[in-house]
Structure formats: structure tokens, C-alpha cells
Amino acid sequence: MVWGGIGLNQSLGPVFFNNLGPGRGNGITAQRYIDQILQPHVVPFFQARRNCVLQQDNARPHTARVTQAFLQHNNIDIMAWPALSPDLNPIEHFWDKLQRKVNQLRPGPRTAAELRQALINAWCNIPRDAINRLIHSMRRRCQAVINVHGGHTPY
């Protein structure tokens, strides 16, 4: 499992989750999210910058009380994201670009270690201006949803 963040002229990641396995309780929990993503990566990133807002989806680890309390304690502003809303987060298009870059590799990664390295290389080779275009597209994305009254958009 991989986590990442993007912002205007910046990115954070990729960050790989550790100690995940098959079976109930071995997935991404709120505590794993805090311990492996928020505390070591997000908090220092936000402490070094001003006027940042964290945009997350409504995955359980993101919305758990312990996660919300942790973010509030660390003065990290969160963008309100209504349940069952269209997924307009620009990171989704970034993940798509990343996946396409990895899928184009010949030969493709055959092991977890090769996949990890391929993801790191692809992440580092997505141009900053491509990320900035995704960030700047938020206004258009939101307006498109408003225009179709919450229906399907080209995004």
C-alpha cells in the first residue's frame, strides 16, 4: 500500500506502508495511518509550510476520531469532504499518471522490491508543472460538478 500527497510546487511521497498483511486487522488502521504517515511525514511537512490544507477522502483511517484528534492536536487544517461526494481530489489523477508510467515499463516489475523502485522512479519523473496543472484544475472540477448538479463530469 502506498500513500502520497501533492500540492502546488511540491509533493510528498511515495510513502510505503509497513507491516501490512492478509487477514482481518492487518490492513490500514487509523493508528497505522497516524504512525506511518501522519506523524513521520505529514506533520513535519505541514510544520515547514504555511497555509496548507490537507485533503483526504472519507476512508475510515482518515475519519476516525483518533485521526481527527491527532490532526487537530498538530494544527493541521483539513478540507471538509462530504460523504458520497464526487471524487475531485487531484491526487487521483496523479495516481493514474503514476500507474500509466509503471505499466509502460518493459519488462515490468516482477517483485515487490522492483515495483517499489518503479513507483519511486515514476513518482520522481512526473513533472512539477503536471502536478501544478492538477492543483489548478480544482476550480474547474468543482464548477463542473455544480453545473451538472452533482452528476457525472468528464473528470
Side-chain angles (χ1 to χ4, degrees), residues 20-36:
L20 297 180
R24 187 179 175 119
N26 289 324
I28 299 170
T29 63
Q31 197 58 54
R32 282 191 177 119
Y33 182 56
I34 291 167
D35 293 344
Q36 296 185 35

Side-chain angles (χ1 to χ4, degrees), residues 30-58:
Q31 197 58 54
R32 282 191 177 119
Y33 182 56
I34 291 167
D35 293 344
Q36 296 185 35
I37 303 299
L38 298 178
Q39 184 66 52
H41 301 285
V42 175
V43 170
F45 185 84
F46 273 67
Q47 287 175 341
R49 289 158 183 82
R50 294 178 191 218
N51 301 320
C52 286
V53 176
L54 182 62
Q55 181 180 6
Q56 310 181 102
D57 59 22
N58 287 318

Side-chain angles (χ1 to χ4, degrees), residues 51-154:
N51 301 320
C52 286
V53 176
L54 182 62
Q55 181 180 6
Q56 310 181 102
D57 59 22
N58 287 318
R60 286 183 194 255
H62 301 167
T63 60
R65 282 188 211 127
V66 66
T67 302
Q68 297 300 306
F70 177 86
L71 292 168
Q72 184 177 13
H73 175 77
N74 286 280
N75 299 313
I76 295 177
D77 292 328
I78 307 164
M79 181 182 291
W81 206 248
L84 304 174
S85 63
D87 194 349
L88 300 176
N89 193 332
I91 192 78
E92 298 305 330
H93 292 276
F94 181 86
W95 288 124
D96 182 60
K97 287 178 185 294
L98 191 71
Q99 183 176 4
R100 281 189 270 126
K101 283 186 172 290
V102 171
N103 288 345
Q104 291 172 350
L105 296 175
R106 299 291 179 259
R110 291 181 298 262
T111 66
E114 288 178 2
L115 178 58
R116 183 182 186 121
Q117 192 57 53
L119 287 166
I120 292 168
N121 293 342
W123 184 286
C124 293
N125 286 304
I126 293 178
R128 188 75 56 218
D129 65 324
I131 295 171
N132 289 347
R133 281 193 304 275
L134 289 173
I135 301 301
H136 286 299
S137 72
M138 276 299 289
R139 186 177 309 262
R140 275 191 322 275
R141 292 167 192 273
C142 291
Q143 189 59 54
V145 170
I146 292 166
N147 291 347
V148 295
H149 308 288
H152 182 72
T153 72

